[in-house]
Amino acid sequence: MAIPSHSKYIVIGAGIHGLSTAWKLAERMLENGESVVQNITVIDKSGIASGASGIACGVVRNNYYQPAMRKLMAHSVDIWEADAKALNYHPVGYMQISSETMRSDVGEIFEQQQKIGYDSIFVEGERASADYMQALFGDWQAKGITSVLHEKRGGYSNQTKAMYHLADKVEKLGVRIISGITVKGLIPQSGSEAIASVETDKGI
């Protein structure tokens, strides 16, 4: 597919971040009565999910130390749950099973999850942790576990299928995705930090 001579928005990379950006940008443009066709172009040097997004483990969780990340990931889980079948998302929950050295840090994560209303359970103590795990997995035998953080939401996706569904979604909104283009540089507008054009191995 030939590269267009002009596109209002260029998204570099057809991975989870690039396609998610194109998706939300397209929705915002449509809400504002703007045309998406020929105005949003995603370019990638290889193809859809050909980089880190294609080999990621696909875990969807809210297990982060930074409070801002927990709010962001709670929002992200909402999106995965809203279109679970199409995104090949499996809402089986997520568990962090830890030794004593991690106990206080994991407890802090749990407290922050509770503050934002994220459904999770925190089990403390070696005996209580073993009992909790054995109730879920009858053959559980791990030793030295003193805490279990069980997120009731979250889970995992088949990342390649999820990415191709996302690509299909944005294309239906009018976004153009072009593979086989390597970005060489960004050319700024004269006297400004704004980007005027994108230099690629296929031209400007």
Side-chain angles (χ1 to χ4, degrees), residues 3 8 14 19-20 39 89 105 123 140 151 172 198-199:
I3 63 171
K8 186 174 183 180
L19 292 181
S20 296
N39 279 324
Y89 171 62
D105 289 339
V123 180
W140 180 262
E151 298 180 19
K172 286 177 178 175
V198 178
E199 181 184 4

Side-chain angles (χ1 to χ4, degrees), residues 146-162:
T146 63
S147 68
V148 176
L149 175 58
H150 187 178
E151 298 180 19
K152 296 296 187 159
R153 299 177 66 194
Y156 71 96
S157 73
N158 178 309
Q159 73 279 15
T160 304
K161 290 181 179 179

Side-chain angles (χ1 to χ4, degrees), residues 63-74:
N63 193 280
Y64 293 89
Y65 290 107
Q66 303 88 349
M69 277 295 291
R70 281 191 281 279
K71 291 180 181 178
L72 177 62
M73 295 313 297

Side-chain angles (χ1 to χ4, degrees), residues 108-133:
E108 191 175 319
I109 291 173
F110 171 71
E111 289 175 6
Q112 291 295 327
Q113 288 177 344
Q114 298 308 292
K115 286 181 180 178
I116 63 171
Y118 196 78
D119 189 11
S120 61
I121 292 172
F122 187 49
V123 180
E124 294 187 84
E126 190 166 358
R127 183 70 262 162
S129 296
D131 289 345
Y132 189 82
M133 294 307 299

Side-chain angles (χ1 to χ4, degrees), residues 15-133:
I16 187 69
H17 292 100
L19 292 181
S20 296
T21 299
W23 173 24
K24 290 303 169 182
L25 178 58
E27 286 188 337
R28 184 170 295 182
M29 289 182 73
L30 291 170
E31 287 170 2
N32 292 334
E34 301 175 66
S35 174
V36 172
V37 177
Q38 297 183 345
N39 279 324
I40 304 178
T41 304
V42 178
I43 58 177
D44 194 284
K45 64 183 176 182
S46 299
I48 296 164
S50 60
S53 295
I55 60 172
C57 63
V59 170
V60 177
R61 60 179 181 153
N62 194 2
N63 193 280
Y64 293 89
Y65 290 107
Q66 303 88 349
M69 277 295 291
R70 281 191 281 279
K71 291 180 181 178
L72 177 62
M73 295 313 297
H75 172 71
S76 178
V77 172
D78 288 341
I79 293 173
W80 283 100
E81 290 176 345
D83 200 8
K85 185 176 181 181
L87 288 169
N88 278 268
Y89 171 62
H90 306 273
V92 296
Y94 178 83
M95 302 182 82
Q96 179 166 342
I97 303 156
S98 307
S99 61
E100 187 62 23
T101 55
M102 293 288 293
R103 185 170 171 177
S104 63
D105 289 339
V106 178
E108 191 175 319
I109 291 173
F110 171 71
E111 289 175 6
Q112 291 295 327
Q113 288 177 344
Q114 298 308 292
K115 286 181 180 178
I116 63 171
Y118 196 78
D119 189 11
S120 61
I121 292 172
F122 187 49
V123 180
E124 294 187 84
E126 190 166 358
R127 183 70 262 162
S129 296
D131 289 345
Y132 189 82
M133 294 307 299

